[in-house]
């Protein structure tokens, strides 16, 4: 499922690839990372890889969503 198709939905398990696609600028990629992170209902159900600069977003967002 794509980031755009998943907007507005929640999932028990999410596998997210954070590598920035060549056709997205940094701002669009940040928004896509946010959507990927916010789809999982628990931290245990979230697996992210190729984090690069998104690792900082992962740490911030998981503390906001999951305490």
């Amino acid at each position: 499922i794509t980031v755009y198709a998943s907007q507005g939905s929640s999932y028990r398990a999410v596998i997210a690839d954070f590598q920035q696609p060549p056709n997205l600028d940094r701002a669009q990629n940040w928004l896509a990372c946010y959507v990927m992170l916010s789809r999982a209902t628990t931290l245990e159900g979230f697996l992210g890889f190729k984090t690069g600069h998104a690792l900082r977003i992962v740490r911030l967002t998981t503390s906001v969503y999951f305490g």
Side-chain angles (χ1 to χ4, degrees):
I1 189 168
T2 66
V3 169
Y4 302 104
S6 70
Q7 289 180 358
S9 300
S10 297
Y11 302 96
R12 291 184 322 186
V14 173
I15 300 172
D17 180 352
F18 288 101
Q19 184 170 350
Q20 182 173 341
N23 61 332
L24 287 184
D25 64 33
R26 191 173 178 118
Q28 291 174 319
N29 189 57
W30 187 93
L31 292 172
C33 289
Y34 171 79
V35 171
M36 288 186 276
L37 287 167
S38 61
R39 299 306 93 196
T41 56
T42 67
L43 185 55
E44 291 79 20
F46 182 81
L47 173 63
F49 59 98
K50 296 181 188 173
T51 56
H53 75 275
L55 183 58
R56 187 180 51 173
I57 299 169
V58 171
R59 289 183 181 147
L60 172 64
T61 307
T62 55
S63 67
V64 170
Y65 281 99
F66 303 114

